[in-house]
Amino acid sequence: WRRSLKCRHKLSPSIAKSPHLYLLPQLSLNPTQPAMSNDESRLKWYEGITKYQWLVLLIASLGWVFDVFEGQIFVASMTDAMPALLTPEPGMEPAKSEVSKWNNIALGFFLLGGAVGGVFFGALSDRIGRSKTMIYTILFYSLFTCLSAFAQAPWQMVLLRFLVAMGVGGEWAVA
């Protein structure tokens, strides 16, 4: 798409030489001039994309896959995990309303953590860069997902879900 439109404005020399100048749209402000030539109209959508851009796409896609996988693990296991945390003694069943209440609290804190993580890691990426921040967010949510297995009380699971969501929300902000 970037080759299909022509640009009439000039870039400053420092921006034009930047290695991070990826896909600037090339706009035509002249309605009498065609937007693309015959050669440009035959290009495939993926032509002109660099190896680095493919790598970034792959890493971001894997991050999303693991985010979704992590979320589905909790949803699939919350019918077992939360009752186990609420059971005072082996063999006893906690009230379904109590299990539902704590599951809803955990999901609510997950949503809140995503928002907090997006703001926190978004600001961090402005300081240290998106690549480093992406690594930190993936490590952050992976660490707290692992620690969720060691929760001994419902409030610990809620806190860990909040921290997991901070990493996930941060990843969404910098991806």
Side-chain angles (χ1 to χ4, degrees):
W1 65 271
R2 70 186 177 135
R3 293 181 184 172
S4 65
L5 302 171
K6 299 287 181 193
C7 181
R8 293 277 180 240
H9 67 284
K10 295 192 182 217
L11 297 174
S12 70
S14 62
I15 293 175
K17 293 179 184 175
S18 170
H20 302 292
L21 183 66
Y22 299 117
L23 294 174
L24 285 180
Q26 298 175 346
L27 302 175
S28 174
L29 300 177
N30 185 350
T32 61
Q33 190 175 29
M36 71 175 90
S37 69
N38 288 337
D39 292 338
E40 291 172 333
S41 66
R42 291 189 212 123
L43 292 176
K44 304 252 190 272
W45 66 268
Y46 53 83
E47 290 179 348
I49 299 175
T50 66
K51 288 180 183 180
Y52 179 74
Q53 291 167 335
W54 283 114
L55 178 65
V56 169
L57 177 65
L58 176 69
I59 291 169
S61 297
L62 286 174
W64 277 92
V65 166
F66 291 129
D67 287 350
V68 172
F69 180 70
E70 186 282 326
Q72 292 302 313
I73 287 174
F74 181 73
V75 170
S77 67
M78 71 184 186
T79 56
D80 296 324
M82 202 56 82
L85 294 173
L86 289 167
T87 303
E89 295 180 22
M92 294 181 67
E93 290 283 328
K96 288 185 180 186
S97 62
E98 191 72 9
V99 173
S100 178
K101 177 183 92 170
W102 279 101
N103 279 333
N104 290 335
I105 291 170
L107 290 172
F109 269 79
F110 188 84
L111 292 173
L112 182 64
V116 171
V119 171
F120 174 76
F121 284 109
L124 182 65
S125 73
D126 290 340
R127 291 180 176 245
I128 66 170
R130 291 175 60 192
S131 299
K132 286 182 183 177
T133 306
M134 178 69 84
I135 293 167
Y136 293 150
T137 60
I138 292 171
L139 291 174
F140 195 87
Y141 85 74
S142 298
L143 171 70
F144 289 110
T145 297
C146 179
L147 290 177
S148 296
F150 300 105
Q152 298 294 310
W155 69 267
Q156 292 172 350
M157 180 64 81
V158 168
L159 177 64
L160 290 168
R161 294 302 299 161
F162 176 83
L163 293 169
V164 166
M166 278 188 65
V168 171
E171 185 184 358
W172 292 346
V174 300

